[in-house]
Amino acid sequence: MKFHLMPGKGRGRTLAGTAAARGFTLVEVLAALVFMAIVIPVAMQGLSVASRAGELAGRRYQAGLVADRVLNEAIVTTNWIQSDLTGKTRQGHLEFEWTMRNEPWLEDRNVTSMRLLSVDVSFSAQGQKQQVTLSTLVDEEAGGLQTNSLNTL
């Protein structure tokens, strides 16, 4: 409670009910608490979703690095000529399974020497199996030294 001097009354003190001197009422405090009870869980859910999306994006990026490395090694060592290859590799602290497929490229009927190499990298994130595929074209006659990249993530 505040006391203010009233103008023109000399030294006498009286209660002033001005809006600036008042505090919050119980209804205003309760309304603010209800508002916070609604906003905080929604904000926390949004942060959780953003965190999971960031984790999945990071793992997809690492899986893309694994696929790129496997494709490059297969082209340089000409292992891509063999039939389907599979394996497991570690990238950081995560383990990724990969499968390489070698298929004829049927998009251009005039070019028969091109092969489509695809690497499927699978990993587990958020309790679900996820997969990233990276593909490239290899010229069979050149021994795989000339490639045209068709990257799909």
Side-chain angles (χ1 to χ4, degrees), residues 63-89 96-104 115-122 131-138 143-144 147:
L65 291 177
V66 168
D68 186 50
R69 185 174 66 228
V70 168
L71 271 178
N72 286 332
E73 286 176 6
I75 291 169
V76 169
T77 62
T78 64
N79 286 342
W80 63 270
I81 297 171
Q82 301 173 12
S83 60
D84 295 345
L85 299 172
T86 61
K88 288 184 181 181
T89 188
F96 296 91
E97 296 178 13
W98 57 267
T99 303
M100 181 184 302
R101 291 176 283 127
N102 181 351
E103 307 165 355
R115 304 290 292 180
L116 177 66
L117 296 181
S118 299
V119 176
D120 299 322
V121 179
S122 58
Q131 184 172 326
V132 171
T133 300
L134 187 68
S135 300
T136 190
L137 290 176
V138 179
T147 63

Side-chain angles (χ1 to χ4, degrees), residues 106-150:
L106 303 175
E107 296 298 318
D108 190 356
R109 303 279 186 223
N110 298 328
V111 180
T112 58
S113 65
M114 297 298 282
R115 304 290 292 180
L116 177 66
L117 296 181
S118 299
V119 176
D120 299 322
V121 179
S122 58
F123 58 97
S124 180
Q126 302 169 3
Q128 295 180 359
K129 199 78 163 173
Q130 304 286 333
Q131 184 172 326
V132 171
T133 300
L134 187 68
S135 300
T136 190
L137 290 176
V138 179
D139 188 356
E140 196 171 26
E141 293 173 358
L145 297 178
Q146 297 174 354
T147 63
N148 299 316
S149 183
L150 293 174

Side-chain angles (χ1 to χ4, degrees), residues 43-62:
M44 294 304 291
Q45 180 68 25
L47 289 174
S48 176
V49 167
S51 173
R52 287 194 311 260
E55 177 186 347
L56 181 60
R59 289 193 183 180
R60 288 182 66 85
Y61 173 75
Q62 289 181 336

Side-chain angles (χ1 to χ4, degrees), residues 4-5 8-9 19 24 27 36-37 43 58 61 68 94 103 108 128 144:
H4 296 281
L5 291 174
K9 296 259 184 176
F24 293 109
V27 172
M36 293 302 288
Y61 173 75
D68 186 50
L94 301 171
E103 307 165 355
D108 190 356
Q128 295 180 359

Side-chain angles (χ1 to χ4, degrees), residues 4-33:
H4 296 281
L5 291 174
M6 296 291 288
K9 296 259 184 176
R11 294 188 153 176
R13 291 186 181 184
T14 148
L15 294 176
T18 63
R22 288 186 6 201
F24 293 109
T25 65
L26 180 61
V27 172
E28 291 170 333
V29 170
L30 290 176
L33 289 174

